[in-house]
Every structure is written in structure tokens, then in C-alpha cells.
Amino acid sequence: MKKNIYTLGVLQYIPFFYVIWSDGLLSASEINITKTAFEKDASLTTADKKTLAGWLDKNNKPSSQELKSWRAIISNAAIKLVEHDAYPLASLAKRLVAHYFSDTPENKQLQHIELNLGIQPNHYHHLFDVEVQHEATSDYYNAKELDAILKGEFAATVTKFHEVLKDPIYTWSIERNKEKFRATVLNQVKHLAAENYGAMAYPNAYGGIEDMPAYAFIFENIMYVDGSLAIKFGVQFGLFGGSIQKLGTKYHHDLYLANAGKAELLGCFAMTETGHGSNVRGIKTTATYQKETDLIILHTPGENNNKEYIGNALDATMASVFAQLIVNGKNEGVHAILVPIRDKNHELLPGVRIEDNGYKLGLNGVDNGKIWFNQVSVPRKNLLNKYGDITEDGTYYSNIENPNKRFFTMLGTLVGGRICVARAGLGGAKKALTIAVKHALKRRQFNDNKKIQEDLLMDYPSHQLRLTPPIAKAYVYDVTLQHIMKLYSDDTKTDKREIETQVAGLKSIITWFANDTIQECREACGGKGYLIENRIADLKGDVDIFTTFEGDNNVLLQLAAKGVLSDFKAEFNSAGFASVLKLLTSQLNDKLTTINPIYSNKTDAEHLYNPKFHKHAFEYRTRRLTYTLAMRIRNYIKNGVPSYQAFLKVQTHLLALGKAYSCQLSYEIYSKYTETITDEKNKILFEQLGTLSALHEIKADASWYLEQGYMGASKSKAIKQRVERICTELRPHINVLVDGFGIPPHLITAPIAK
């Protein structure tokens, strides 16, 4: 037993008092939390508690001599702070007691102080000798287990696909000539078709397995090869082939679907126009039926009414063209028509003009182009007629009489494309995170001149805070998108409007997340991240466009918000706004519960880590924004402002609601999913990732919550500390977490990740 002037009970608290007095100040929270802890500590005597209480007297600060004596007691024990311990300071205190007295059980009250004060080891490691961590990562969790949990029933399918991607045809290299790049990507697409991946979502009769969720997995994993390949694949099999499958009938399926799946019929999806991007209903291309010839005439009425940014435009021989269908002088709205654009010699057909869009910020392996039609004739049967047809006697017929409902039903069948775009963006973020983390686990920089080696980038709290929350969100969004794709693929649910609303919002927040994450990863890798060879630069360029194609995110968020307002039941047009508002008043309580001050300032870990708190915070934000938005619109309309103008005045409010709704949705889906994980150890990890994602989101919108009185300054500060704390706790497992994404090593070609 070593010489010691303190009792066992008091000794174990010395490291804590040394830390909290190290800056010469003592905050109210430090006093409250520390005092509460030692008063509940059954291992302390009355005299011990009196001593500790005296050390909490702000008017009687410990002298510099006493602080030195505390330091000496710790130093003489020759113990070191181990930063990767779950409770570094409590663990050090336990070893201190073992040195001077004997080994003792873990003191839960010490752990309570460390946790509830948000004490970070990186904040006080300068006060102690720190053990150099030689292992960059922990093997407590198994990456293959995490990967299996994420992939679930699709694990075998994805593993088999990874073997296909070992073919030399997918070997990545830097390519800056778009013609050569496009040729490479086209050959890769044809190879995937030959391996039966193009037709996966199609029925068995046409070479597929009718498995859209599996197709989405494949789509994301193609992003690990190259963004251009993923998009070219999606255009050919998802958009062009998908339009035939979803909008056509057996006649079109028999003629074209199998060949599209084999890439023997190359096609493009011609919806967007130069003058009308997100406003599909306003496109100008016409498809006029001529009864006397039984032909449909496609025409571009003006120079700026051309189809724009059409993928596969340079390789395709057929286009799925969206146009205003005019029958017997009446515009029946937007429909899709199959239009041959090239002959067997790959020459443009009469009346078709196509120009190359040229070089872009990214995705230069995709042949985007502009298309004009000058009185191009196609047979009546080329109309994709699942939702609207022209009968043999030359009259228009549809089972859906309401043209607005018909339009949204038609577009709703293509929502799968938005899910896949979000999956591809998420794949890009996962790859960037994997590269950035692996770089940070080997790159060292700076130290305190006392350590033998410099610190790993990943050991800096700022670096952890940059990369760990996005990793947690990647897990949340992965689970979310899988769930949504399964719902979308369920043919027993014929009404897809709710899913359309959900997908509109999720596509927006996830593709924005992907762009933000890739940028953060680029910066986290410094100049190395700027090099093409390290892959992040191309990911930046490729994923950037995801925020505006398949629907501009700002437009989609407004669509999601309008879906919330209408409870997914009312259609949004100028005539329908009043009915939507009437519906709202019966569904929303205008007296949202005032938040109890005790609740708004509740900062204990049990509360802040509780999923019930996260769900309540997200639901409160969505409901509050919904109600206030509805009241603003109602007031504008009451004051005589036209409905359309009223919605323009609240556009930013709509965006806020769309984002809030989507964040709430993703967390609720993920939270329910974690409850199904049977392995307790991995379940706890997934719950912790959900907690980090939720707290990080609440922290990001802290200003709104503070303005609404939902939380006070102390709670906001506590949440910030919790986020930092969880990042520190996950630090030992961060390599396993990115390996849990399941990206095969042969596709992580970045030299800095090796």
C-alpha cells in the first residue's frame, strides 16, 4: 500500500476535481451534477462527503499547492489516461485507487459525472499522461455482421454481383475524353445486361425476376464502380425500360421489353425540356393524333422547347417521349410515346435532330443530348397506353377520368427512379466516407511534443465530429430507402400517393446529405482528396446533379409539404386549395401543447438518448410547421390573396415543412427497424447510431427549437455535448462502421484508402 493522505472514497474523486478546477472556474452544472453524484455514492462516509462538498465551494477555491498535490498523487501512481476507454476518467480513477489501496468495483456515480458533464477525454488529456493507442481501430464489432444486417435478404445477390464487378472491364482509370469514356461505359452496360442485371425489375417472361428492391441494391453498388455507369444503367433499364414496363401494356412488353433488358434495344427517356424542367405538366412537345392516317405526329413547337439533358441520346435508337397528347383537337395531357430516332445504321431518322450536351461537371461517361422533333410520325400503337389510350375508332379513352389524377398516377409509376437516385447518392457518400475514414486512420499530424508519434487525424475530436455523424446518417438512410422501395414495389398497394410524397422528401434530403458529406470528406482528406486518383473529386462532380435531376429538390420538398397539408388525399391545384385547408382544420389542433419548462431544460443522458424524445422532437417540429403554414395560407386567402400567390408567399415555409417531415419519417422507419435486430450487441450499436443521427439533426436545427421554446439553452448545449460524446465513443469502431457498408476492397481504388 502506497502513502496517501486521502481516504479511498475521496481519492477516487480527485481526478474529477482536478479536471473541473483545472480552468480555475466552477460552473453551476459542474456543482449540481458532481454534488448529486457523490451524495448518492454509498461507498462514501459522511466525512468523505463533507470533504468533497468543501471542494465545491466557489468562494474557497483549491490552492495552487493543493492542485499540485492532486497532480502529484496521480503522477506518482504511474497510471495513464486511456482515451478509448468507455469512461476514460472513471477508469483512471479506478486504477488510481487500485494503486494506493486495492482494486474496487466500477463506481457508477463517477461514470454519471463523466457522462452528464459531457467530459471529453480530448478536452483534458493535457492534464494527464496519455497512453499511446497503437491500434487504429477496435475489433469489438464485426463489419461482416453489420453488412449482413443492412443487406438482409439481399446479401447473397449483392455478394454475387461483387464477383461480377471483378471483371477487368470494370477496372477504373482516369478518363477525360468523353467519347472514349462513353464507349467504355456503354460496353460495361452491355456486359451487365448480358449478366442479366438490366432486366432484374422486369417480369420473368421478359428476362427478369421482378425484383425492384434487388435492382435498387445493384444500382447503388454500381456507384462504387463509377457514377457514369450507374446513371447510364439507370437510364437504359430503369427509365427507358421502366417506362415501357410501367406505362405500356402487353403489346409494348412483347415487342420491346426483353430487348431493352438485354441492351439490344438502346433507348432514352425524353421528358425534360429546356423551357420546362421540373414542370412536366407544362412541357410543349406535342403528340397529335391524325385519324385519317392512324398516326401520332411528334413535334417540337419552338427552338427552346426541345428535350434537354437526355441520357443515352447519342447511343439510343428509340426514345420514350413525353408530350401533350392531342386527340380530335383536345389536349388530353402528358403521355409517353415510343419514337424511333435512329435506323439500323445508327443514322438519325427524318425529322429528328440531336445535339450533344458536351462536357459537364461530372458524369461525362453519359451521353446527354438535346432532341428536337419536326413532324415525326409514329403508329398509334406506339402510345404507352396503360393509363390513356386511343381506340381504333380514333377516340381517346382512360379508366381515370380526372386528368390531374391521371397525370399524377402516370408519374407515380416512375417514383422508383427517385428512390434509385437517392440510393446512388447514398452510395457515393458511403464511398467517400470510407475513403476519408481509412485515410484518417493512417495519416498523422501534430502532437503535444510529449508523445513519441503524432496523432492520427481520426483521433482529433473535430475530425470525429466531421465524419461520424454522416456515417450514422448513412446507416439511417440505408434502412429508410430499403423500406420505402419495398413499399413502392408492393403491387397490392395500388394508391401510391403517400409513397410519392415520402419519396419526394427523402430523395431531397438524402441527395443533399450526399453532396454535403462528399464535400466534407474531400476537405477532410486535404489536398489528397482533391486528386482524381483518390476518387472523391469525381464523386463530387457525379453526385452534384442528383439534387436536380429526377426532380429538383426544392420543388420536391414543396411537393412533400403539400402532401402533408392534404393528408395525402387532396390534389393540389388552384381549385383544390380551399378543400385542403378545410381538411386541415379538422385534423390539426391549433393549441399545440405548450412545452413544460422542466422538459425544455431536461438534460440528463437517459432523456436525451431516449428514442421517445427524438420522435417527439421531430413530430413536434412537423406538426408545428404544418399548423403555422396552414394558418398563414388561410389568412392570406381570407385577405383576398389568390391561392397560387398565397402559396408563393409561404414557399420557404413549405421547404422547412418538407424537410422536417422527411427527417421525421426517416428516423421513425429506422427506429422501428432497430427493434427487429435480434443480436443484442449489434442492436445497441444500431440504436447508438440512430441516437447520434437524431441528436445531430436536432442540434443542426437548434435555432428553430430555441425560438419555439421547445428547448432551453442548457438543453441545446447538452445536446451538443452528447453529439461529441457519442462521436468519441464510436471512435474505436469507426473503421468497422465504414467496412459495414459492404463496399468490396477491389472497388476502393483510392491510394489514400489503402
Side-chain angles (χ1 to χ4, degrees):
M1 185 178 295
K2 315 299 185 297
K3 183 179 179 181
N4 173 45
I5 61 174
Y6 297 107
T7 65
L8 183 154
V10 169
L11 179 66
Q12 61 187 327
Y13 279 84
I14 284 180
F16 287 84
F17 279 86
Y18 183 48
V19 167
I20 63 179
W21 274 114
S22 62
D23 58 3
L25 301 172
L26 196 65
S27 69
S29 60
E30 289 173 332
I31 294 173
N32 181 270
I33 291 171
T34 306
K35 186 176 182 180
T36 301
F38 70 66
E39 285 181 346
K40 291 181 178 180
D41 192 341
S43 69
L44 299 178
T45 65
T46 301
D48 289 339
K49 293 179 181 180
K50 184 178 180 180
T51 299
L52 296 175
W55 289 348
L56 286 178
D57 185 354
K58 295 174 68 174
N59 297 317
N60 187 24
K61 297 180 181 179
S63 65
S64 59
Q65 191 62 37
E66 191 161 22
L67 287 172
K68 287 180 181 178
S69 72
W70 291 349
R71 169 73 186 186
I73 288 170
I74 298 169
S75 298
N76 292 339
I79 56 175
K80 293 185 177 182
L81 179 78
V82 182
E83 289 186 324
H84 61 268
D85 280 347
Y87 297 93
L89 202 55
S91 176
L92 182 137
K94 184 176 185 298
R95 282 181 275 118
L96 181 66
V97 170
H99 175 80
Y100 286 104
F101 290 94
S102 59
D103 196 17
T104 57
E106 290 184 346
N107 190 325
K108 297 296 183 182
Q109 296 306 320
L110 295 179
Q111 293 178 0
H112 174 82
I113 296 174
E114 188 168 4
L115 184 63
N116 284 277
L117 281 183
I119 296 176
Q120 304 291 313
N122 45 272
H123 294 168
Y124 58 76
H125 65 70
H126 60 286
L127 300 175
F128 306 99
D129 290 330
V130 181
E131 179 180 293
V132 176
Q133 184 178 343
H134 296 286
E135 292 298 324
T137 189
S138 165
D139 60 358
Y140 180 75
Y141 293 106
N142 186 310
K144 290 184 178 179
E145 292 179 6
L146 305 185
D147 182 30
I149 291 172
L150 281 181
K151 289 189 172 67
E153 63 189 280
F154 301 99
T157 299
V158 177
T159 299
K160 181 182 177 183
F161 183 60
H162 287 167
E163 291 300 310
V164 172
L165 296 180
K166 288 181 178 179
D167 191 288
I169 195 174
Y170 301 107
T171 301
W172 182 84
S173 62
I174 298 175
E175 181 56 75
R176 285 297 175 263
N177 178 284
K178 64 178 169 55
E179 281 70 27
K180 290 176 63 177
F181 195 0
R182 290 172 177 179
T184 297
V185 171
L186 178 58
N187 287 333
Q188 291 171 336
V189 166
K190 290 179 177 178
H191 187 269
L192 290 174
E195 295 288 338
N196 298 317
Y197 287 103
M200 286 187 79
Y202 304 162
N204 293 327
Y206 305 102
I209 57 174
E210 211 159 357
D211 195 336
M212 190 67 182
Y215 172 90
F217 261 104
I218 298 306
F219 192 78
E220 178 185 329
N221 278 261
I222 295 175
M223 276 296 296
Y224 304 147
V225 180
D226 184 79
S228 289
L229 175 57
I231 298 308
K232 181 91 167 178
F233 180 92
V235 168
Q236 171 63 28
F237 306 115
L239 293 179
F240 174 67
S243 66
I244 296 172
Q245 178 190 10
K246 299 291 187 179
L247 301 179
T249 50
K250 189 175 185 302
Y251 168 81
H252 307 100
H253 298 167
D254 291 345
L255 274 179
Y256 306 115
L257 199 53
N259 287 335
K262 296 174 186 174
E264 292 175 0
L265 170 63
L266 294 177
C268 60
F269 185 81
M271 176 184 281
T272 301
E273 294 181 358
T274 300
H276 287 80
S278 299
N279 182 16
V280 177
R281 189 154 48 175
I283 59 176
K284 299 300 184 183
T285 301
T286 58
T288 305
Y289 175 66
Q290 284 187 343
K291 188 173 183 179
E292 58 273 20
T293 60
D294 201 28
L295 297 174
I296 296 175
I297 314 299
L298 277 293
H299 187 65
T300 304
E303 186 65 17
N304 290 325
N305 301 135
N306 60 287
K307 297 300 177 181
E308 173 78 277
Y309 222 90
I310 308 306
N312 237 11
L314 282 299
D315 288 329
T317 58
M318 179 174 280
S320 182
V321 181
F322 287 75
Q324 303 288 352
L325 181 63
I326 300 171
V327 182
N328 295 322
K330 181 183 178 183
N331 188 337
E332 300 292 353
V334 176
H335 289 66
I337 302 99
L338 294 177
V339 182
I341 57 176
R342 288 185 173 88
D343 61 22
K344 60 182 180 180
N345 298 318
H346 207 66
E347 297 293 331
L348 289 175
L349 291 171
V352 178
R353 175 160 65 100
I354 297 179
E355 293 181 4
D356 192 340
N357 271 124
Y359 285 96
K360 299 155 290 186
L361 177 64
L363 300 176
N364 283 300
V366 181
D367 50 322
N368 293 101
K370 307 174 185 179
I371 307 177
W372 290 260
F373 300 98
N374 185 10
Q375 305 295 336
V376 177
S377 302
V378 299
R380 169 176 54 86
K381 287 194 173 183
N382 279 31
L383 173 67
L384 295 176
N385 60 344
K386 182 174 183 179
Y387 298 107
D389 197 9
I390 303 173
T391 61
E392 291 185 2
D393 65 1
T395 59
Y396 178 81
Y397 171 77
S398 174
N399 286 323
I400 306 174
E401 292 185 8
N402 187 310
N404 290 317
K405 185 176 182 181
R406 183 165 64 240
F407 173 76
F408 286 112
T409 300
M410 178 185 69
L411 290 189
T413 63
L414 305 174
V415 166
R418 286 178 180 158
I419 303 175
C420 286
V421 167
R423 286 293 293 266
L426 181 60
K430 288 178 181 177
K431 185 167 183 176
L433 284 166
T434 301
I435 294 168
V437 164
K438 291 185 178 298
H439 174 62
L441 287 172
K442 70 174 186 177
R443 174 77 158 85
R444 293 181 180 274
Q445 187 163 275
F446 301 113
N447 63 13
D448 60 2
N449 297 323
K450 295 179 181 179
K451 296 181 181 179
I452 296 174
Q453 60 182 342
E454 293 184 313
D455 293 331
L456 287 170
L457 290 181
M458 204 67 249
D459 287 332
Y460 288 104
S462 60
H463 219 74
Q464 295 165 12
L465 197 56
R466 297 170 79 178
L467 299 180
T468 314
I471 290 172
K473 286 192 176 185
Y475 274 81
V476 171
Y477 290 150
D478 190 311
V479 170
T480 300
L481 289 174
Q482 285 191 57
H483 175 80
I484 289 295
M485 181 56 88
K486 287 181 180 179
L487 290 180
Y488 169 74
S489 304
D490 185 354
D491 291 332
T492 63
K493 297 182 178 180
T494 56
D495 189 346
K496 305 285 187 181
R497 281 175 291 179
E498 181 178 357
I499 296 173
E500 290 169 37
T501 297
Q502 294 173 342
V503 171
L506 291 173
K507 183 265 182 185
S508 299
I509 65 169
I510 293 173
T511 53
W512 270 326
F513 158 79
N515 273 278
D516 292 343
T517 297
I518 293 169
Q519 175 63 25
E520 195 65 66
C521 291
R522 206 295 297 157
E523 294 180 22
C525 294
K528 286 291 187 181
Y530 202 61
L531 293 174
I532 299 290
E533 66 176 10
N534 287 321
R535 305 303 302 273
I536 297 177
D538 275 351
L539 285 171
K540 271 175 58 68
D542 291 348
V543 176
D544 187 278
I545 191 64
F546 291 7
T547 62
T548 52
F549 78 26
E550 289 295 316
D552 180 283
N553 284 358
N554 283 286
V555 175
L556 291 181
L557 275 187
Q558 292 177 71
L559 176 64
K562 288 178 179 180
V564 175
L565 282 174
S566 65
D567 196 30
F568 318 119
K569 293 177 182 178
E571 293 173 19
F572 273 81
N573 52 59
S574 58
F577 289 158
S579 62
V580 171
L581 295 174
K582 184 178 179 181
L583 179 66
L584 265 171
T585 56
S586 66
Q587 292 180 340
L588 289 176
N589 180 3
D590 62 348
K591 295 181 181 178
L592 289 169
T593 306
T594 301
I595 299 300
N596 188 312
I598 296 176
Y599 181 88
S600 64
N601 288 290
K602 196 171 176 60
T603 61
D604 62 276
E606 185 178 358
H607 167 66
L608 294 181
Y609 288 177
N610 194 325
K612 290 182 179 179
F613 162 60
H614 309 148
K615 291 176 183 177
H616 187 271
F618 291 145
E619 182 182 6
Y620 180 86
R621 181 172 62 172
T622 301
R623 287 180 62 82
R624 185 88 188 177
L625 286 168
T626 302
Y627 172 73
T628 53
L629 174 62
M631 293 305 100
R632 287 183 66 193
I633 295 171
R634 185 181 69 172
N635 291 337
Y636 279 128
I637 293 176
K638 276 187 173 181
N639 290 328
V641 177
S643 299
Y644 179 74
Q645 293 298 324
F647 267 77
L648 289 183
K649 287 179 176 291
V650 297
Q651 204 167 44
T652 55
H653 200 146
L654 282 165
L655 293 172
L657 173 57
K659 182 179 183 294
Y661 164 74
S662 304
C663 290
Q664 178 189 349
L665 175 65
S666 64
Y667 180 78
E668 288 180 348
I669 290 173
Y670 181 82
S671 185
K672 288 179 182 177
Y673 175 79
T674 58
E675 295 172 4
T676 68
I677 300 175
T678 54
D679 180 82
E680 190 63 24
K681 182 172 78 171
N682 288 324
K683 182 178 182 179
I684 291 172
L685 175 62
F686 272 71
E687 289 174 342
Q688 190 175 26
L689 292 171
T691 296
L692 176 57
S693 177
L695 291 180
H696 189 265
E697 170 61 29
I698 295 170
K699 170 178 166 284
D701 207 12
S703 60
W704 184 88
Y705 284 107
L706 287 165
E707 288 168 0
Q708 304 302 318
Y710 185 83
M711 63 184 184
S714 59
K715 191 167 191 171
S716 178
K717 183 179 179 181
I719 289 173
K720 181 179 179 180
Q721 291 174 337
R722 299 296 169 201
V723 169
E724 292 183 10
R725 173 79 195 190
I726 298 174
C727 289
T728 300
E729 291 175 356
L730 289 174
R731 159 62 186 89
H733 315 296
I734 198 161
N735 191 59
V736 177
L737 287 172
V738 294
D739 283 346
F741 293 149
I743 306 175
H746 66 275
L747 297 181
I748 305 292
T749 57
I752 59 170
K754 299 298 182 185

